[in-house]
Amino acid sequence: MRLSNKSSGGFRPTLLSIAITATASMPLTALAADEEAASATIEEVTVTGFRKSVMDSIGTKRDAKAVVEAISAEDIGKLPDSSIAEAIARLPGLAAQRLDGRASRVSVRGFSENESATTFNGREQVSINDNRGVEFDLYPSEIMSGVTVYKTPQASIEAEGIAGVIDLQTVKPLSRNERVIQLNGQFEMTSFDKLNPDGEDQGHRATFSYIDQFADDRIGVAFAYNTMRSPNQEERWNAWGYPEFTYQGRDHSILGGAKPFVRSSVLERNSAMLVVEAQATEKLHTTFDALYIDFSDEKILRGIEIPFAWGQGSISADSAVVDPDTGFVTSAVTEGQRVVVRNDMESQDAKLGAFGFNAKYDLSDTLQLEFDASHSSVSRETWSFESYAGTGRGDSEGTADTLGYTFHSGNTGARFTHGLDYSDFGLIKLGGPLSWGASSALNKKYGLEDGDQYFNAAQDGFINAPEIDDELTSLKLAAAQMVEAGIVNEIRYGVSFREREKIKRSQGFYMTLRDFPQVLEVPEQYRLGTVSLDFIGMGDMIAYDSAGLLADGYYELTNEALTGIQHLTKSYTVNEKITAAFAQADFGTEIFGLPLTGNAGLRYVYTEQSSQGFAGQVNEASGLVIVEPTHISHDYSHFLPSLNLALEIDDQQTVRFGAAKTISRARMSEMNASLEVSYNPQVDGNGNNWNISGGNPTLEPKEAVGVDLTYENYFSDEGYFSAAIFWKDLSEWHFDDTFTVDLVGVADPATGQIPENPTATASGKVNAGGGTLTGYELSVALPFNLFTEHLDGFGLLASYTGIDSDIQDQHGNDHQLAGLSDSIQNITAYYENYGFSARVSMRKRDDFKGEVYGIGFDSQQVDVVGETLVDAQIGYDFSEAGIGALEGLSVFLQGQNLTNEPFTTLSGDNPLQVRDYQNYGRIYLLGFSYAL
C-alpha cells in the first residue's frame, strides 16, 4: 500500500483544518484547491511495518459490514506479545485480565470472556478451562495473520456471544504472491532474580515461517513453527479472610490468616500452523488449515501459611491498632502460634489440535456454494502438589512462635514479625504441623479415633489432579447468490451442525509420610537451600525438592474421593448438539441521495444438551461416598434476528447502526448433572425431604437485545475518528436459587425404603433477572504528518470506553457483571520512519470482578483493583540502511509492565483488606526478525 504525501511546496493542513475534517467531512483536497496545490509534485512513499498494519486495520474496519475492530499481522508481529491477548487488549472496548502475570482472559465492552465466542478462521474453538471462555495465552501471536472482533453480529457468523465474536485468522498464502521465509528470535529475562533456587529468570522464543506458491500460483502453502520458553516470577501476598474481632467492646475486622509465597514458573509452548490453499479450477477454491499447540506451565511455589485470628494462638488485645475510619485492625500480635511451611509444585499440560477444510464452488456466475468441516480438541492435565512442614505434628506439638503483623497504606498486604528461624532444617521438619486435614478415610487408614493425639493429623500434603477434555466438531453447507431483487443484491443462506463434548474429571489425594506419625528432617540430598520471604518480613525459609521426595516413596497417598463428595460433584460430561439455519440479505440503496448499505438476517438455533454425572451421598455409618450415575437431557431453540446498516455521508464519513438479539450459552461447569443428595425425615420449608445441590443441566442461555450506533470518519489512510454508543437489554441471566426436582422411586439411603414424598429442594443456577448495560466509545488514529511533513512517521492511537450497568437478580438485588470496568483506556504513541521505530503503549482499566483459580482449581470470582500497564519498544529495520548483507534484518528491544504494576484483589470494600497482592516485576525482550 502507498501513501501519497504533498511535496515540500504543497498544502499542509493546520490543526483547525484537521478538526473541520473530522467533524464536517470536508475533504482535504477541497481545502487545497489553489494554484500552489494544483502545481504541486506528487511523490509516492511506500509505507511498511507498524504504520502499514495500522492502515490495514483501518481498512478492515472501514470495509466491514458490521461494527468491528481489527488487528493485522504486522501489528501482532511487530509488537511480539507472548499471546493474542496482549495484542487485542489494545483495541477499543477490550480489556485483558492477567493470570500469573500474563494477559489471558479478554472482556469485550464490559462482558467477561464467557459472554463472547472465540473462533479460529470462523470456527468456534474449545477451551482448556471448565467453561467456554478461551484463555488466550494458549495461542501464540507470532503465527497468526490477524484478529477481527465483531461487536455487532451477522446471521452468517457461526458462533454466539452477547459480547461479540473474536476471530483469529491465519495467513492466506495465495494472497501473498511471493515466497516468504522468515526467522524470528527473542531473548527474554525478568527484572526479578530467581526467587526460588531451582527457578529460571531467562527464556527464549523463536519462530520459523514459510509461505510459497506453486503450479502457476494455483497452490499456496504456509507453515509456521513457534517455540517459547518464558520465565515468570512473583511475590504474592494472599489472605485467608478477615473475620470479626471483639476489641474494647466493639467488633472489628482482623486478619484471619495469610498464605504469602514466592513463585517461579516457566511457560513452555510449541506451536505449528499449516495452511494449504488451492485454486483447483477457475470455479473451485479449497483451503485446509491445521493448528497444533503443546502447552506446559511449570510452577514452583514456596511460602508460609500464617494463621492469625483463625489460628491456635491468642491475640494480645493490648497490641491491636485500629483504623478509626474503617474499624479494621491494622496491627496486632498473636502468641503461641504455629505456621505451615509450604514447598509446592504445580504443572499444567495442555495439547490443542484444530483443523478445518473449506471448499467454495462457483456453480454459476451468480451462485457460489460453500462446504466447511472442522474439528478441534484440547486436553488439559493439572498436577498441583503441596508439601507441609513445621516444628512438629498436630496442633499442639513443636515450638510455637510469637507473630505480629502491620498493614500499611495502599494495597500491598501486611508485613510480619517473627521469632523463629524458618531457614533452619533442624527446626523445620516434614509433617503436618496443624490438624486441618480432617478425613475419616485417613483416620481409619491409620487407626485414629477421636481423642487420639494425632486424630485428624495425618495430612502431610495434598495433590490436586483435575483433568479436562473438550472436543468440538462442526459442519456447514452454505450458499451465496447474487440477485437483483429491489434493493437486495446478495443473499446468503445455509445450515450448520456443531457437536461439543466437555469432560471434567476431578481427583485429589491426601499425602502422609510413610513414617507417620513421626516427623522427618529433610534428607540432605533433597535440600536446595533457602528462599527469601523478606517482602513480608518472614526472612528466609527452607527450600527442598518435594517432588523428589514423593517420587522416591517418602509419602503414601489416600484418595480424597473416598470420603469427600466434592470430587464427585465436580466430575461430569456435558454434551451439546447445535443445529442452525440462517438467511442473510445484503442490500444497497440511497436515502436522501446518500448511499445506504447493510445486511439483515435471521438465525435459527436449535440446541440439544445433555449431561452425565453422579448423584452422591455420604453414608453416615461408614463415612464413605455412595455413588449413582445420572443422565439429564434438555432442548431449546432461539430465533436471532440481526440488522447492520452503513450510511455513507461522503467518501470519509460513515454512520453505522446495528440491532440484534444474541445469546450466551451457560457455563459448562454449571450445566453438569453431578449432584450431592441428602434425605431428612423432617420436611424443609418447601415441604420436601430431599435436598440436592450441584449443577443444573436444564440451564438455558442468557439473552440480550442490543443496539449500536457508530460515527466513523476516515480522514486519511492512516487516520480515523470514531464515536459509538451501545445499549443492551439483558434477560434470562444466571443466578443462584432453589427449585423443585422430582425424585420418584429414589430410596432413602438410611432405610432403603422409597419415601412417599418424592420431591426435592434443589439449589443451583437458574435463568432469572436481568437489566441493561449502556456505554460509549471514542477512538482515534492520528498520524502527525497531517500537521506537517516534518512529523511524518509520528502518530497516536487512543481509545476511551465508558460503561454503566443496572442488573438485578430475581430478588431485586443489584448485581455487577463479571469483567465490567466503568472505563477502559488505551493509548499508543509511535514513530516509524527511515528504518527506526519506537512505541509506548498504555492500557488502563477500572476496578472489575474477575475470576481466579481457588481451592481445587475451582473458578472463584474476586474484586480486582483497576490497573495501568505500560509497555514500550524500540527497533531498527536494516532494510533502510542500504547494506546488502543486512537486507531483511530488523532488531528490537521491548519492555513489558515497565511501571511494575501489581495485580491486586480485595476482600470487601476496605482497601486495606487485601486478598491478593501479586508483584510480577518487569519483563524485557531482545529480538530480531530476518526475512530471507
Side-chain angles (χ1 to χ4, degrees):
M1 184 175 294
R2 297 182 183 274
L3 176 65
S4 295
N5 290 338
K6 299 290 184 181
S7 68
S8 59
F11 170 79
R12 299 188 186 95
T14 63
L15 287 173
L16 177 60
S17 69
I18 294 300
I20 294 174
T21 299
T23 56
S25 76
M26 295 178 63
L28 293 177
T29 54
L31 296 175
D34 52 37
E35 293 182 359
E36 183 180 8
S39 62
T41 301
I42 304 298
E43 62 179 17
E44 289 189 333
V45 179
T46 300
V47 179
T48 61
F50 180 75
R51 293 173 63 186
K52 171 132 185 342
S53 75
V54 172
M55 296 168 67
D56 289 346
S57 299
I58 292 174
T60 300
K61 181 180 179 70
R62 185 174 190 172
D63 297 338
K65 299 290 186 181
V67 178
V68 306
E69 302 294 343
I71 191 166
S72 75
E74 282 286 342
D75 202 359
I76 297 172
K78 275 287 189 175
L79 190 66
D81 299 301
S82 62
S83 75
I84 293 292
E86 298 277 0
I88 62 178
R90 308 183 199 284
L91 294 174
L94 277 70
Q97 177 190 329
R98 291 183 291 174
L99 289 177
D100 292 334
R102 295 183 175 90
S104 178
R105 297 173 176 173
V106 174
S107 62
V108 180
R109 286 183 165 179
F111 291 100
S112 75
E113 70 280 357
N114 288 300
E115 314 306 337
S116 60
T118 299
T119 57
F120 177 63
N121 286 336
R123 302 150 183 147
E124 187 175 3
Q125 287 295 284
V126 292
S127 64
I128 66 170
N129 56 40
D130 296 5
N131 299 298
R132 302 179 187 276
V134 167
E135 296 185 9
F136 284 94
D137 55 352
L138 185 67
Y139 294 88
S141 62
E142 295 90 341
I143 66 174
M144 300 294 176
S145 70
V147 181
T148 301
V149 181
Y150 293 89
K151 294 180 176 178
T152 60
Q154 299 180 122
S156 57
I157 295 178
E158 287 295 320
E160 298 88 26
I162 287 176
V165 176
I166 301 173
D167 185 38
L168 313 179
Q169 299 143 8
T170 57
V171 67
K172 298 295 178 62
L174 287 182
S175 66
R176 290 302 175 100
N177 298 319
E178 62 180 349
R179 176 184 295 173
V180 177
I181 301 176
Q182 185 160 313
L183 299 173
N184 296 329
Q186 294 120 54
F187 169 76
E188 178 180 355
M189 65 179 296
T190 65
S191 61
F192 279 131
D193 292 330
K194 291 190 295 186
L195 297 181
N196 285 279
D198 45 349
E200 297 182 22
D201 58 0
Q202 297 180 358
H204 63 269
R205 306 177 189 182
T207 305
F208 168 78
S209 58
Y210 170 80
I211 302 173
D212 207 348
Q213 302 80 32
F214 307 93
D216 295 327
D217 291 340
R218 289 185 173 274
I219 298 176
V221 175
F223 173 78
Y225 177 79
N226 170 262
T227 182
M228 179 179 78
R229 187 171 180 86
S230 175
N232 192 268
Q233 311 283 331
E234 175 191 353
E235 294 177 338
R236 175 182 294 187
W237 156 269
N238 175 263
W240 293 356
Y242 297 90
E244 293 296 317
F245 170 68
T246 302
Y247 173 63
Q248 295 182 347
R250 298 180 60 187
D251 289 336
H252 302 277
S253 296
I254 193 172
L255 177 66
K259 186 173 66 175
F261 58 79
V262 293
R263 172 180 61 83
S264 300
S265 64
V266 174
L267 173 65
E268 189 170 1
R269 185 182 62 206
N270 295 293
S271 311
M273 179 272 296
L274 174 67
V275 179
V276 179
E277 188 179 12
Q279 187 71 51
T281 68
E282 290 184 357
K283 293 186 175 183
L284 178 62
H285 181 275
T286 62
T287 306
F288 172 81
D289 57 72
L291 176 67
Y292 176 78
I293 301 174
D294 189 345
F295 174 100
S296 175
D297 193 5
E298 305 286 340
K299 302 176 184 176
I300 303 167
L301 309 99
R302 292 190 174 95
I304 300 179
E305 293 212 55
I306 306 171
F308 210 84
W310 284 331
Q312 59 186 231
S314 59
I315 299 175
S316 172
D318 294 338
S319 68
V321 177
V322 179
D323 177 36
D325 296 329
T326 62
F328 177 66
V329 179
T330 60
S331 182
V333 174
T334 179
E335 299 173 346
Q337 200 68 265
R338 294 172 177 84
V339 304
V340 181
V341 174
R342 297 275 295 267
N343 275 250
D344 299 353
M345 300 190 71
E346 180 184 315
S347 67
Q348 183 172 241
D349 295 294
K351 290 179 173 59
L352 180 146
F355 67 85
F357 175 78
N358 181 274
K360 294 180 180 179
Y361 183 75
D362 295 333
L363 192 62
S364 68
D365 291 340
T366 60
L367 178 61
Q368 183 184 75
L369 303 181
E370 179 183 5
F371 171 76
D372 193 275
S374 65
H375 178 83
S376 64
S377 63
V378 66
S379 61
R380 186 202 75 187
E381 296 180 356
T382 301
W383 187 79
S384 177
F385 169 44
E386 304 172 1
S387 174
Y388 309 150
T391 59
R393 178 178 296 282
D395 288 338
S396 57
E397 297 292 319
T399 305
D401 200 357
T402 297
L403 300 168
Y405 79 80
T406 300
F407 278 85
H408 300 285
S409 59
N411 304 111
T412 59
R415 287 184 62 88
F416 292 93
T417 59
H418 63 98
L420 298 181
D421 179 6
Y422 292 99
S423 66
D424 184 353
F425 279 95
L427 175 66
I428 307 301
K429 300 179 181 180
L430 299 175
L434 297 175
S435 299
W436 58 7
S439 167
S440 57
L442 281 178
N443 289 330
K444 289 183 178 182
K445 180 176 181 177
Y446 294 101
L448 304 173
E449 297 181 358
D450 193 4
D452 288 346
Q453 179 180 1
Y454 299 116
F455 185 70
N456 289 340
Q459 183 178 347
D460 297 330
F462 192 80
I463 295 174
N464 268 303
E467 298 177 355
I468 290 286
D469 288 309
D470 198 356
E471 192 168 356
L472 176 62
T473 301
S474 302
L475 296 171
K476 182 178 76 169
L477 183 62
Q481 188 168 4
M482 307 300 294
V483 298
E484 294 181 5
I487 65 173
V488 178
N489 51 52
E490 182 179 4
I491 57 172
R492 300 172 184 267
Y493 47 90
V495 294
S496 64
F497 176 78
R498 308 197 308 266
E499 182 173 9
R500 183 174 187 175
E501 182 178 74
K502 173 160 283 201
I503 302 172
K504 180 178 181 182
R505 294 173 290 272
S506 178
Q507 52 186 347
F509 302 91
Y510 295 109
M511 293 168 45
T512 306
L513 285 170
R514 67 186 180 191
D515 296 329
F516 175 83
Q518 301 300 316
V519 294
L520 176 67
E521 189 171 310
V522 179
E524 286 285 347
Q525 65 267 35
Y526 301 100
R527 298 183 184 183
L528 300 175
T530 62
V531 297
S532 172
L533 298 180
D534 284 340
F535 77 102
I536 55 164
M538 291 298 292
D540 293 338
M541 61 162 274
I542 64 172
Y544 56 87
D545 181 6
S546 54
L549 288 164
L550 176 66
D552 292 341
Y554 282 85
Y555 292 98
E556 297 177 348
L557 303 183
T558 303
N559 193 340
E560 187 185 29
L562 293 172
T563 56
I565 201 169
Q566 65 272 25
H567 290 290
L568 175 142
T569 57
K570 292 189 293 187
S571 298
Y572 55 83
T573 297
V574 173
N575 183 275
E576 288 178 332
K577 296 179 180 179
I578 302 167
T579 304
F582 76 90
Q584 178 178 304
D586 291 6
F587 53 82
T589 186
E590 287 190 356
I591 294 182
F592 305 113
L594 301 178
L596 176 68
T597 59
N599 58 60
L602 179 64
R603 187 172 185 85
Y604 171 75
V605 182
Y606 173 67
T607 303
E608 299 173 275
Q609 66 187 34
S610 63
S611 178
Q612 298 81 47
F614 308 93
Q617 306 163 333
V618 178
N619 186 285
E620 294 183 4
S622 66
L624 300 177
V625 175
I626 304 172
V627 177
E628 292 288 339
T630 61
H631 186 122
I632 302 175
S633 301
H634 184 60
D635 66 280
Y636 54 85
S637 61
H638 287 88
F639 286 95
L640 304 175
S642 61
L643 174 67
N644 288 283
L645 301 175
L647 181 66
E648 190 174 323
I649 299 175
D650 57 26
D651 290 341
Q652 294 179 189
Q653 298 181 98
T654 300
V655 175
R656 297 183 186 272
F657 174 81
K661 181 178 181 180
T662 52
I663 60 173
S664 290
R665 300 183 185 279
R667 298 164 65 106
M668 303 186 92
S669 62
E670 295 172 351
M671 295 166 55
N672 83 81
S674 291
L675 311 165
E676 181 176 358
V677 181
S678 61
Y679 182 87
N680 191 327
Q682 304 298 319
V683 297
D684 61 18
N686 298 312
N688 299 321
N689 298 99
W690 292 99
N691 186 273
I692 294 175
S693 61
N696 180 3
T698 66
L699 199 61
E700 296 191 2
K702 306 167 185 176
E703 300 179 5
V705 175
V707 176
D708 290 76
L709 182 63
T710 304
Y711 167 78
E712 299 170 354
N713 189 314
Y714 298 93
F715 51 82
S716 89
D717 289 339
E718 288 186 81
Y720 82 95
F721 169 75
S722 174
I725 57 174
F726 52 91
W727 172 87
K728 291 185 185 293
D729 181 32
L730 310 177
S731 60
E732 300 299 325
W733 221 248
H734 297 163
F735 293 104
D736 291 317
D737 208 346
T738 58
F739 48 96
T740 299
V741 175
D742 193 352
L743 291 181
V744 175
V746 179
D748 175 0
T751 64
Q753 302 297 314
I754 297 176
E756 295 182 2
N757 184 1
T759 58
T761 299
S763 58
K765 295 291 183 181
V766 300
N767 289 99
T772 59
L773 179 142
T774 58
Y776 64 94
E777 283 176 358
L778 302 172
S779 57
V780 63
L782 183 61
F784 290 177
N785 57 15
L786 292 176
F787 308 126
T788 171
E789 66 176 16
H790 300 299
L791 294 178
D792 184 43
F794 288 94
L796 182 72
L797 307 174
S799 67
Y800 182 92
T801 304
I803 307 171
D804 189 26
S805 68
D806 182 15
I807 314 295
Q808 294 183 332
D809 66 13
Q810 65 272 36
H811 305 298
N813 300 312
D814 291 336
H815 173 75
Q816 183 179 343
L817 293 174
L820 190 152
S821 294
D822 290 341
S823 71
I824 304 168
Q825 302 169 51
N826 288 284
I827 186 168
T828 296
Y830 67 88
Y831 172 76
E832 187 169 78
N833 219 344
Y834 307 112
F836 291 98
S837 63
R839 294 197 297 282
V840 177
S841 297
M842 181 275 290
R843 62 181 199 267
K844 179 181 180 180
R845 68 182 303 185
D846 285 347
D847 300 350
F848 66 100
K849 287 191 177 294
E851 287 191 356
V852 297
Y853 288 116
I855 296 176
F857 288 88
D858 294 335
S859 292
Q860 183 176 357
Q861 193 171 99
V862 295
D863 294 315
V864 183
V865 176
E867 58 187 16
T868 302
L869 301 176
V870 177
D871 304 328
Q873 176 177 306
I874 58 173
Y876 183 72
D877 186 346
F878 285 92
S879 299
E880 303 285 341
I883 304 175
L886 299 180
E887 183 76 19
L889 176 66
S890 62
V891 296
F892 72 88
L893 174 64
Q894 183 184 117
Q896 298 176 354
N897 192 28
L898 291 178
T899 58
N900 197 19
E901 184 81 350
F903 177 82
T904 308
T905 69
L906 302 180
S907 295
D909 297 330
N910 187 344
L912 290 175
Q913 294 183 192
V914 181
R915 179 192 184 276
D916 281 297
Y917 179 84
Q918 302 176 12
N919 182 18
Y920 306 121
R922 302 169 182 84
I923 297 176
Y924 303 104
L925 296 103
L926 176 63
F928 75 92
S929 176
Y930 184 64
L932 301 177

